[in-house]
Amino acid sequence: MAIAPDDVRRVRESLPLLREHFEPAASRFYDNLFSLAPEMRALFRGDMDDQGMKFMSTMAMIAEVVGDADALAGATAGLARAHARLGVAPEHFAPMGHALLVTLGETLGPDFTPEVQSAWRAAYATLSEAMIAHGAMA
Ligand code: HEM
């Protein structure tokens, strides 16, 4: 389902503030994920601060194009196939989304209004669907 233009706008408007706080957000993200879903720890091998930066910067880049189906497909196709090869499955996306919303709340503080939160929820659902479809994760 296509994401509403207002949600696309709210997500994009929150990106400059998020980028100002990228490093703390990146290092909080996996702490939040592993306290919400400890069983996901075993999937990761590398340095988690580096991985946090890779995740947040890629997430922000994809979030920027989430309203444009072709650009979204272009931004997610290769990443989705790589994730399928890593053993990532559709059920892994929900805890990741939960950790993302918690991290955004910590990072954006009062700017993480209920409207911004629901916009990010919609954006994450849209980009997860694209990842799952392109990675052929069934
Ligand atoms: C939803 C959007 C997601 C984005 C934007 C994203 C982004 C990334 C990026 C940029 C990398 C690094 C790739 C590289 O080094 O070439 C990565 C690696 C990885 N991602 Fe994701 N990811 C997402 C979802 C997930 C989910 C749901 C899981 C499930 C557990 C996951 C598990 C992993 C693992 C296991 C690695 C490899 C880490 C390692 O080498 O130790 N990702 N991801």
Side-chain angles (χ1 to χ4, degrees), residues 30-42:
Y30 283 102
D31 288 346
N32 287 330
L33 179 65
F34 299 145
S35 49
L36 290 162
E39 70 283 2
M40 284 175 77
R41 183 71 188 84

Side-chain angles (χ1 to χ4, degrees), residues 30 40 43-46 51 54-55 58-59 62 79 83 86 88 92-93 96 124 127-128 131:
Y30 283 102
M40 284 175 77
L43 287 166
F44 293 88
R45 286 147 213 289
Q51 177 61 27
K54 286 182 188 172
F55 173 79
T58 307
M59 171 60 65
I62 299 173
L79 192 65
H83 278 73
L86 284 163
V88 174
H92 292 131
F93 283 84
M96 206 92 174
Y124 183 79
L127 74 87
S128 299
M131 292 270 286

Side-chain angles (χ1 to χ4, degrees), residues 51-137:
Q51 177 61 27
M53 277 309 274
K54 286 182 188 172
F55 173 79
M56 285 310 286
S57 54
T58 307
M59 171 60 65
M61 188 265 288
I62 299 173
E64 208 137 46
V65 299
V66 75
D68 174 340
D70 289 342
L72 180 62
T76 51
L79 192 65
R81 284 192 297 271
H83 278 73
R85 285 194 297 270
L86 284 163
V88 174
E91 63 269 22
H92 292 131
F93 283 84
M96 206 92 174
H98 190 177
L100 178 67
L101 291 177
V102 170
T103 306
L104 290 169
E106 291 169 351
T107 308
L108 301 176
D111 282 44
F112 198 56
T113 60
E115 291 77 17
V116 173
Q117 176 167 352
S118 112
W120 268 99
R121 196 185 294 280
Y124 183 79
T126 304
L127 74 87
S128 299
E129 269 173 36
M131 292 270 286
I132 291 166
H134 293 297
M137 298 170 202

